[in-house]
Amino acid sequence: MIQDTEASFLDQIRRHYRDSSGDPPFVPGRTPILPSGAVLDEDDRMALVEAAMNLRIAAGRTARKFESAFAKVVGCGRAHLTNSGSSANLLAISALTSPQLGERRLRPGDEVITAATGFPTTVNPILQNGLVPVFVDVDLETYNATPDRIEAAIGPRTRAIILAHTLGNPFQVAEVAELARKHDMWLIEDNCDAVGSLYRGRPTGSFGELSTASFYPAHHITMGEGGCVAVSNPKLARIVESFRDWGRDCWCEPGEDNRCLKRFDYQLGTLPLGYDHKYTFSHVGYNLKSTDLQAALGLTQLAKLPAFGEARRRNWRYLREGLADLDEFMMLPVPTPDSDPSWFGFLLTLRPESGLQRRDLLNFLEARRIGTRQLFGGNLTRHPAYADQKFRVSGELTNSDIITTQTFWLGVYPGITQQMADYMIESLHEFVQEHLRAPATVALRS
């Protein structure tokens, strides 16, 4: 009887979705063109409703199922679901400070190389763990740090590298991984903007000892909020799980007891023999778990990842072809050689000699309801948050400064239609034409 009632209710929800779904027609200048956003369908809605009806409100069976499926997509042995991509980065860095890693553990004052241009949550966990960021500049075509810049930044206390695949465009991750091995350093891939991207035929996120992902609505798939740490080394995987789950030594699932079959037989630290293993802590950890509600949505989204990736690639190519004739005014993005990016956005950098002003262009586009974003924080060393923080800069940050003043990006996410892309292309051409006409108008007035 209860099952029949649930099935009837789910059918009503499904019919309601079908009756109310469907986007209104696109109206240039009136319909917002978002730079990013979630693409959700009937399956996503039904997964969330069913999980809610069954009150799967903590991390459980569905979370474990998602972790297993995501690990296979990334090409790693294990994946640990967490509450955000930012938390995933915090867990990845924190795991490398574990005493269980012996001489390879990161200690306060050790250096971690990262790119100066990006999002702060790639950098903040370095500082939050008492480590020292070493900032390097990026390439102006791919917007990624390069192996030569990274190698030049290595000092006596440099122990790790954490880099993001910028807007889905892989950095030369195989070469950087080899460099890390050569110098006995850890490599963390911030894969939050690049899930589904490939480098030399391998998924990004599978090259470093650890990689992270984000499932915020702007990203390739969404849980609303959520993130993941992917790792192949079983010891590291166990450490990540401990840091995520309060720092506990026990590995039982929530609600589970005595998986190890010796719950009251351990003697750890200075605790008495037999102290309950469920309440024994080996790390100063956090509670950064996610829920089955989020994982239920993640599973339906994950099934659509290949289609989402193809839509992103198609939209990116369409913009690249449509804007090719504006190359003398703005630098067009270039995929890293040997890569197949699942693009997060379409980056453009106004050439200084063009005379175009980014502020004017962004105001022009936003007035037409075309959403834009800058390359996150640009040169992070220029932000007030880091004014009193200890860090080191390797070389000049010339390109990072250019990005801070000249760069922005447009959306390519699967919700972008060809009509929207045509309007973006048309609008950029119109702005450039207005700029070219401006000198003649001034001369006429004088």
PDB file of all heavy atoms in Angstrom, residues 143-163:
ATOM      1  N   TYR A 143      46.627  29.827 -20.499  1.00  0.00           N
ATOM      2  CA  TYR A 143      46.314  30.356 -19.170  1.00  0.00           C
ATOM      3  C   TYR A 143      46.727  29.402 -18.052  1.00  0.00           C
ATOM      4  O   TYR A 143      46.212  29.481 -16.939  1.00  0.00           O
ATOM      5  CB  TYR A 143      44.823  30.723 -19.060  1.00  0.00           C
ATOM      6  CG  TYR A 143      44.433  31.792 -20.057  1.00  0.00           C
ATOM      7  CD1 TYR A 143      43.986  31.451 -21.338  1.00  0.00           C
ATOM      8  CD2 TYR A 143      44.535  33.148 -19.743  1.00  0.00           C
ATOM      9  CE1 TYR A 143      43.651  32.435 -22.271  1.00  0.00           C
ATOM     10  CE2 TYR A 143      44.205  34.131 -20.673  1.00  0.00           C
ATOM     11  CZ  TYR A 143      43.766  33.763 -21.928  1.00  0.00           C
ATOM     12  OH  TYR A 143      43.446  34.730 -22.848  1.00  0.00           O
ATOM     13  N   ASN A 144      47.680  28.534 -18.356  1.00  0.00           N
ATOM     14  CA  ASN A 144      48.181  27.574 -17.376  1.00  0.00           C
ATOM     15  C   ASN A 144      49.642  27.826 -17.050  1.00  0.00           C
ATOM     16  O   ASN A 144      50.397  28.343 -17.890  1.00  0.00           O
ATOM     17  CB  ASN A 144      48.042  26.150 -17.921  1.00  0.00           C
ATOM     18  CG  ASN A 144      46.630  25.616 -17.822  1.00  0.00           C
ATOM     19  OD1 ASN A 144      46.006  25.699 -16.767  1.00  0.00           O
ATOM     20  ND2 ASN A 144      46.118  25.070 -18.916  1.00  0.00           N
ATOM     21  N   ALA A 145      50.049  27.426 -15.852  1.00  0.00           N
ATOM     22  CA  ALA A 145      51.470  27.388 -15.521  1.00  0.00           C
ATOM     23  C   ALA A 145      52.152  26.323 -16.377  1.00  0.00           C
ATOM     24  O   ALA A 145      51.523  25.341 -16.789  1.00  0.00           O
ATOM     25  CB  ALA A 145      51.651  27.084 -14.037  1.00  0.00           C
ATOM     26  N   THR A 146      53.422  26.519 -16.663  1.00  0.00           N
ATOM     27  CA  THR A 146      54.169  25.628 -17.563  1.00  0.00           C
ATOM     28  C   THR A 146      55.296  24.928 -16.800  1.00  0.00           C
ATOM     29  O   THR A 146      55.775  25.444 -15.780  1.00  0.00           O
ATOM     30  CB  THR A 146      54.755  26.429 -18.729  1.00  0.00           C
ATOM     31  OG1 THR A 146      55.516  27.532 -18.210  1.00  0.00           O
ATOM     32  CG2 THR A 146      53.641  26.975 -19.630  1.00  0.00           C
ATOM     33  N   PRO A 147      55.724  23.759 -17.287  1.00  0.00           N
ATOM     34  CA  PRO A 147      56.772  23.019 -16.582  1.00  0.00           C
ATOM     35  C   PRO A 147      58.045  23.813 -16.353  1.00  0.00           C
ATOM     36  O   PRO A 147      58.674  23.683 -15.296  1.00  0.00           O
ATOM     37  CB  PRO A 147      57.014  21.812 -17.501  1.00  0.00           C
ATOM     38  CG  PRO A 147      55.715  21.608 -18.203  1.00  0.00           C
ATOM     39  CD  PRO A 147      55.169  22.984 -18.422  1.00  0.00           C
ATOM     40  N   ASP A 148      58.450  24.643 -17.326  1.00  0.00           N
ATOM     41  CA  ASP A 148      59.690  25.401 -17.146  1.00  0.00           C
ATOM     42  C   ASP A 148      59.566  26.407 -16.007  1.00  0.00           C
ATOM     43  O   ASP A 148      60.496  26.589 -15.212  1.00  0.00           O
ATOM     44  CB  ASP A 148      60.096  26.091 -18.450  1.00  0.00           C
ATOM     45  CG  ASP A 148      59.027  27.038 -18.978  1.00  0.00           C
ATOM     46  OD1 ASP A 148      57.835  26.711 -18.872  1.00  0.00           O
ATOM     47  OD2 ASP A 148      59.388  28.106 -19.516  1.00  0.00           O
ATOM     48  N   ARG A 149      58.420  27.078 -15.913  1.00  0.00           N
ATOM     49  CA  ARG A 149      58.210  28.025 -14.811  1.00  0.00           C
ATOM     50  C   ARG A 149      58.191  27.293 -13.466  1.00  0.00           C
ATOM     51  O   ARG A 149      58.699  27.796 -12.460  1.00  0.00           O
ATOM     52  CB  ARG A 149      56.902  28.782 -15.011  1.00  0.00           C
ATOM     53  CG  ARG A 149      56.925  29.789 -16.172  1.00  0.00           C
ATOM     54  CD  ARG A 149      55.594  30.547 -16.233  1.00  0.00           C
ATOM     55  NE  ARG A 149      55.599  31.610 -17.218  1.00  0.00           N
ATOM     56  CZ  ARG A 149      55.157  31.511 -18.465  1.00  0.00           C
ATOM     57  NH1 ARG A 149      54.661  30.328 -18.884  1.00  0.00           N
ATOM     58  NH2 ARG A 149      55.196  32.538 -19.292  1.00  0.00           N
ATOM     59  N   ILE A 150      57.580  26.116 -13.454  1.00  0.00           N
ATOM     60  CA  ILE A 150      57.501  25.342 -12.212  1.00  0.00           C
ATOM     61  C   ILE A 150      58.882  24.892 -11.770  1.00  0.00           C
ATOM     62  O   ILE A 150      59.263  25.030 -10.596  1.00  0.00           O
ATOM     63  CB  ILE A 150      56.554  24.141 -12.399  1.00  0.00           C
ATOM     64  CG1 ILE A 150      55.121  24.637 -12.628  1.00  0.00           C
ATOM     65  CG2 ILE A 150      56.613  23.205 -11.198  1.00  0.00           C
ATOM     66  CD1 ILE A 150      54.184  23.573 -13.144  1.00  0.00           C
ATOM     67  N   GLU A 151      59.663  24.374 -12.705  1.00  0.00           N
ATOM     68  CA  GLU A 151      61.007  23.889 -12.348  1.00  0.00           C
ATOM     69  C   GLU A 151      61.870  25.029 -11.840  1.00  0.00           C
ATOM     70  O   GLU A 151      62.642  24.855 -10.884  1.00  0.00           O
ATOM     71  CB  GLU A 151      61.669  23.205 -13.540  1.00  0.00           C
ATOM     72  CG  GLU A 151      62.979  22.535 -13.189  1.00  0.00           C
ATOM     73  CD  GLU A 151      63.354  21.427 -14.140  1.00  0.00           C
ATOM     74  OE1 GLU A 151      62.967  21.493 -15.312  1.00  0.00           O
ATOM     75  OE2 GLU A 151      64.057  20.482 -13.704  1.00  0.00           O
ATOM     76  N   ALA A 152      61.751  26.211 -12.453  1.00  0.00           N
ATOM     77  CA  ALA A 152      62.536  27.367 -12.014  1.00  0.00           C
ATOM     78  C   ALA A 152      62.150  27.820 -10.609  1.00  0.00           C
ATOM     79  O   ALA A 152      62.936  28.499  -9.931  1.00  0.00           O
ATOM     80  CB  ALA A 152      62.357  28.522 -12.999  1.00  0.00           C
ATOM     81  N   ALA A 153      60.955  27.455 -10.157  1.00  0.00           N
ATOM     82  CA  ALA A 153      60.470  27.899  -8.850  1.00  0.00           C
ATOM     83  C   ALA A 153      60.878  26.977  -7.711  1.00  0.00           C
ATOM     84  O   ALA A 153      60.690  27.320  -6.539  1.00  0.00           O
ATOM     85  CB  ALA A 153      58.945  28.011  -8.882  1.00  0.00           C
ATOM     86  N   ILE A 154      61.434  25.819  -8.005  1.00  0.00           N
ATOM     87  CA  ILE A 154      61.755  24.836  -6.977  1.00  0.00           C
ATOM     88  C   ILE A 154      62.916  25.333  -6.118  1.00  0.00           C
ATOM     89  O   ILE A 154      63.959  25.737  -6.622  1.00  0.00           O
ATOM     90  CB  ILE A 154      62.087  23.473  -7.608  1.00  0.00           C
ATOM     91  CG1 ILE A 154      60.869  22.921  -8.354  1.00  0.00           C
ATOM     92  CG2 ILE A 154      62.551  22.483  -6.542  1.00  0.00           C
ATOM     93  CD1 ILE A 154      61.151  21.677  -9.164  1.00  0.00           C
ATOM     94  N   GLY A 155      62.708  25.327  -4.808  1.00  0.00           N
ATOM     95  CA  GLY A 155      63.736  25.707  -3.851  1.00  0.00           C
ATOM     96  C   GLY A 155      63.995  24.589  -2.868  1.00  0.00           C
ATOM     97  O   GLY A 155      63.389  23.510  -2.960  1.00  0.00           O
ATOM     98  N   PRO A 156      64.875  24.813  -1.891  1.00  0.00           N
ATOM     99  CA  PRO A 156      65.252  23.753  -0.944  1.00  0.00           C
ATOM    100  C   PRO A 156      64.076  23.198  -0.130  1.00  0.00           C
ATOM    101  O   PRO A 156      64.094  22.038   0.276  1.00  0.00           O
ATOM    102  CB  PRO A 156      66.264  24.457  -0.021  1.00  0.00           C
ATOM    103  CG  PRO A 156      66.762  25.625  -0.785  1.00  0.00           C
ATOM    104  CD  PRO A 156      65.635  26.059  -1.667  1.00  0.00           C
ATOM    105  N   ARG A 157      63.033  24.022   0.095  1.00  0.00           N
ATOM    106  CA  ARG A 157      61.915  23.555   0.921  1.00  0.00           C
ATOM    107  C   ARG A 157      60.650  23.309   0.104  1.00  0.00           C
ATOM    108  O   ARG A 157      59.562  23.136   0.664  1.00  0.00           O
ATOM    109  CB  ARG A 157      61.617  24.558   2.044  1.00  0.00           C
ATOM    110  CG  ARG A 157      62.714  24.644   3.088  1.00  0.00           C
ATOM    111  CD  ARG A 157      62.155  25.115   4.424  1.00  0.00           C
ATOM    112  NE  ARG A 157      61.203  24.167   5.011  1.00  0.00           N
ATOM    113  CZ  ARG A 157      60.636  24.349   6.207  1.00  0.00           C
ATOM    114  NH1 ARG A 157      60.902  25.442   6.912  1.00  0.00           N
ATOM    115  NH2 ARG A 157      59.776  23.460   6.689  1.00  0.00           N
ATOM    116  N   THR A 158      60.765  23.270  -1.223  1.00  0.00           N
ATOM    117  CA  THR A 158      59.591  23.038  -2.061  1.00  0.00           C
ATOM    118  C   THR A 158      59.245  21.557  -2.038  1.00  0.00           C
ATOM    119  O   THR A 158      60.060  20.718  -2.420  1.00  0.00           O
ATOM    120  CB  THR A 158      59.840  23.503  -3.501  1.00  0.00           C
ATOM    121  OG1 THR A 158      60.363  24.830  -3.477  1.00  0.00           O
ATOM    122  CG2 THR A 158      58.550  23.486  -4.296  1.00  0.00           C
ATOM    123  N   ARG A 159      58.017  21.244  -1.614  1.00  0.00           N
ATOM    124  CA  ARG A 159      57.658  19.846  -1.398  1.00  0.00           C
ATOM    125  C   ARG A 159      56.439  19.391  -2.197  1.00  0.00           C
ATOM    126  O   ARG A 159      56.136  18.203  -2.223  1.00  0.00           O
ATOM    127  CB  ARG A 159      57.377  19.617   0.095  1.00  0.00           C
ATOM    128  CG  ARG A 159      58.510  20.012   1.033  1.00  0.00           C
ATOM    129  CD  ARG A 159      59.703  19.088   0.889  1.00  0.00           C
ATOM    130  NE  ARG A 159      59.300  17.713   1.048  1.00  0.00           N
ATOM    131  CZ  ARG A 159      59.028  17.128   2.228  1.00  0.00           C
ATOM    132  NH1 ARG A 159      59.105  17.836   3.355  1.00  0.00           N
ATOM    133  NH2 ARG A 159      58.690  15.865   2.293  1.00  0.00           N
ATOM    134  N   ALA A 160      55.709  20.335  -2.806  1.00  0.00           N
ATOM    135  CA  ALA A 160      54.469  19.934  -3.474  1.00  0.00           C
ATOM    136  C   ALA A 160      54.089  20.953  -4.544  1.00  0.00           C
ATOM    137  O   ALA A 160      54.598  22.088  -4.567  1.00  0.00           O
ATOM    138  CB  ALA A 160      53.331  19.783  -2.477  1.00  0.00           C
ATOM    139  N   ILE A 161      53.189  20.524  -5.429  1.00  0.00           N
ATOM    140  CA  ILE A 161      52.636  21.369  -6.489  1.00  0.00           C
ATOM    141  C   ILE A 161      51.124  21.177  -6.466  1.00  0.00           C
ATOM    142  O   ILE A 161      50.640  20.039  -6.397  1.00  0.00           O
ATOM    143  CB  ILE A 161      53.166  20.956  -7.879  1.00  0.00           C
ATOM    144  CG1 ILE A 161      54.694  20.996  -7.935  1.00  0.00           C
ATOM    145  CG2 ILE A 161      52.558  21.831  -8.979  1.00  0.00           C
ATOM    146  CD1 ILE A 161      55.279  20.252  -9.135  1.00  0.00           C
ATOM    147  N   ILE A 162      50.377  22.279  -6.520  1.00  0.00           N
ATOM    148  CA  ILE A 162      48.929  22.193  -6.737  1.00  0.00           C
ATOM    149  C   ILE A 162      48.568  23.188  -7.828  1.00  0.00           C
ATOM    150  O   ILE A 162      48.877  24.372  -7.729  1.00  0.00           O
ATOM    151  CB  ILE A 162      48.110  22.437  -5.449  1.00  0.00           C
ATOM    152  CG1 ILE A 162      46.603  22.340  -5.760  1.00  0.00           C
ATOM    153  CG2 ILE A 162      48.456  23.743  -4.774  1.00  0.00           C
ATOM    154  CD1 ILE A 162      45.705  22.303  -4.537  1.00  0.00           C
ATOM    155  N   LEU A 163      47.959  22.680  -8.888  1.00  0.00           N
ATOM    156  CA  LEU A 163      47.591  23.513 -10.029  1.00  0.00           C
ATOM    157  C   LEU A 163      46.195  23.151 -10.502  1.00  0.00           C
ATOM    158  O   LEU A 163      45.796  21.977 -10.483  1.00  0.00           O
ATOM    159  CB  LEU A 163      48.567  23.306 -11.203  1.00  0.00           C
ATOM    160  CG  LEU A 163      50.001  23.785 -11.029  1.00  0.00           C
ATOM    161  CD1 LEU A 163      50.835  23.313 -12.211  1.00  0.00           C
ATOM    162  CD2 LEU A 163      50.069  25.299 -10.897  1.00  0.00           C
TER     163      LEU A 163
END
